[in-house]
Amino acid sequence: MEVSPYGLESLWAQGDFVTKGVAVLLLAMSIASWYVIITKALQLLRFSKASAAAGHQFWDTTSLPEGVATLGSENPFADVAKAGVTAMSHHTAHKGHLHDQLSVSDWVTLSLRQAIDEASGKLQTGMAVLASVGSTAPFVGLFGTVWGIYHALVSIGTTGQASIDKVAGPVGEALIMTALGLAVAIPATFGYNALVRGNKTTIAKLNKFGFDLHALFVTGSRAASEENEKNGGKAKLTAVGRA
């Protein structure tokens, strides 16, 4: 089968080390961005299930251990709930040392806020890769294009032939680099924007869950809301060991 003189195979065969290096770099950037997009999308999908449990099943249980078990494992909602339980247990065990200096409300607030901040940091993992790829890939492709056109012009100047059949191949191969740069940057940019929206939604739900947990640990019941009022005004779950 005859190889097209204007395709990617011809670009690779005729390109020098700079052209091949740019092509390899774009390929690596594409692989990295798609890896982040897929893994983070699956992570958000898993967290959405935990979010649903945090909004309903958790509050329908009768004890904190049972409620934490409904959240599953390896998700920020379970981590925040465990941090709250640990904070309450620590404050109760050291009441004589902490009571006069830090109230249970302040202690639980600090513990929950730290857990939420840690979860937010984990959600941002990999986002810098997408931001970097989305912003730099077009310029990397453009560099390959400029380099390819430079070599095409040098070839034309050396041979003294500037006919269409002599120019189309080298220039077309150079422009392919621009297309490759855009092909890498566009999915990274769309993926970044979609994941940012998903992360913001998850963080907002974490803050709401943390607020409800704080109310549970401090007052003994979940904070009042329209949904709670429709369900009878209070949740089944009660705080164990509340100071």
Side-chain angles (χ1 to χ4, degrees):
M1 183 177 180
E2 184 179 357
V3 178
S4 172
Y6 309 113
L8 294 175
E9 294 183 12
S10 178
L11 172 66
W12 181 263
Q14 297 180 15
D16 58 5
F17 73 96
V18 175
T19 302
K20 293 180 179 178
V22 171
V24 171
L25 178 59
L26 288 173
L27 177 62
M29 294 170 73
S30 179
I31 293 174
S33 62
W34 277 110
Y35 174 79
V36 172
I37 290 172
I38 293 173
T39 55
K40 298 295 290 186
L42 293 176
Q43 182 186 65
L44 286 176
L45 181 62
R46 187 171 67 252
F47 289 172
S48 66
K49 297 179 180 179
S51 173
H56 298 89
Q57 292 95 321
F58 179 84
W59 302 104
D60 289 335
T61 58
T62 56
S63 66
L64 281 171
E66 183 182 352
V68 173
T70 62
L71 299 176
S73 59
E74 298 183 0
N75 68 75
F77 294 90
D79 294 338
V80 170
K82 292 175 183 177
V85 173
T86 301
M88 283 297 299
S89 300
H90 183 80
H91 193 277
T92 301
H94 299 81
K95 185 181 296 185
H97 302 285
L98 293 174
H99 184 70
D100 295 333
Q101 301 178 12
L102 200 63
S103 67
V104 62
S105 177
D106 292 338
W107 179 252
V108 171
T109 298
L110 290 173
S111 300
L112 292 177
R113 174 49 54 192
Q114 182 179 14
I116 293 174
D117 289 342
E118 291 177 357
S120 299
K122 292 179 180 178
L123 285 172
Q124 299 302 320
T125 303
M127 300 301 292
V129 174
L130 293 181
S132 299
V133 171
S135 60
T136 60
F139 299 102
V140 174
L142 183 61
F143 172 76
T145 298
V146 173
W147 186 263
I149 291 177
Y150 164 73
H151 278 280
L153 294 176
V154 170
S155 177
I156 292 172
T158 302
T159 59
Q161 299 178 354
S163 58
I164 295 297
D165 60 328
K166 299 296 183 181
V167 175
V171 174
E173 292 168 4
L175 293 176
I176 288 176
M177 302 302 293
T178 299
L180 291 177
L182 294 175
V184 173
I186 291 174
T189 302
F190 277 103
Y192 176 83
N193 292 333
L195 291 174
V196 165
R197 289 194 298 270
N199 287 344
K200 287 183 178 180
T201 300
T202 301
I203 292 173
K205 292 179 179 179
L206 273 174
N207 285 321
K208 176 62 170 62
F209 183 59
F211 176 77
D212 287 340
L213 281 176
H214 179 270
L216 173 68
F217 290 131
V218 175
T219 68
S221 62
R222 185 183 182 186
S225 65
E226 293 182 1
E227 182 179 357
N228 294 341
E229 292 174 357
K230 291 179 181 178
N231 293 331
K234 61 180 181 179
K236 296 180 181 179
L237 186 62
T238 56
V240 179
R242 182 170 59 89

